[in-house]
Amino acid sequence: LIDAGYYEHANKDLSIALSIDPTDTDIHFNRAITNLNLKRYADTEFDIHQIIKKKPKDGEAYYLLSQAELQQKDSASALIHLD
């Protein structure tokens, strides 16, 4: 669904999956992608922080977080997370 651009539908399905297993970092990552595409930056950041709590060295998570920050014109935070 994500690859096809059905972000809203994918987001709802991923939220259901997280209600079953809220610790699954792959689901959080995929939902963060859908939220980023839906311009829901606070929700994107929430999911990414859930990943970083469990995987503090996850480079993809920090990259996605920086993308959300850049979309919000927060280049200083984005640079910190890319470092």
Side-chain angles (χ1 to χ4, degrees), residues 41-60:
Y41 304 119
D43 293 335
T44 301
E45 291 181 18
F46 172 82
D47 281 322
I48 294 301
H49 286 295
Q50 298 307 306
I51 297 166
I52 292 171
K53 285 180 192 176
K54 292 191 162 286
K55 298 178 176 181
K57 295 184 180 185
D58 188 324
E60 288 182 321

Side-chain angles (χ1 to χ4, degrees), residues 11-47:
N11 189 280
K12 288 177 184 176
D13 288 349
L14 291 163
S15 293
I16 292 168
L18 281 171
S19 71
I20 296 166
D21 184 2
T23 65
D24 189 316
T25 57
D26 290 332
I27 299 171
H28 277 287
F29 188 82
N30 287 322
R31 190 172 72 170
I33 291 171
T34 65
N35 281 321
L36 184 64
N37 282 287
L38 292 166
K39 300 181 181 357
R40 296 177 185 160
Y41 304 119
D43 293 335
T44 301
E45 291 181 18
F46 172 82
D47 281 322

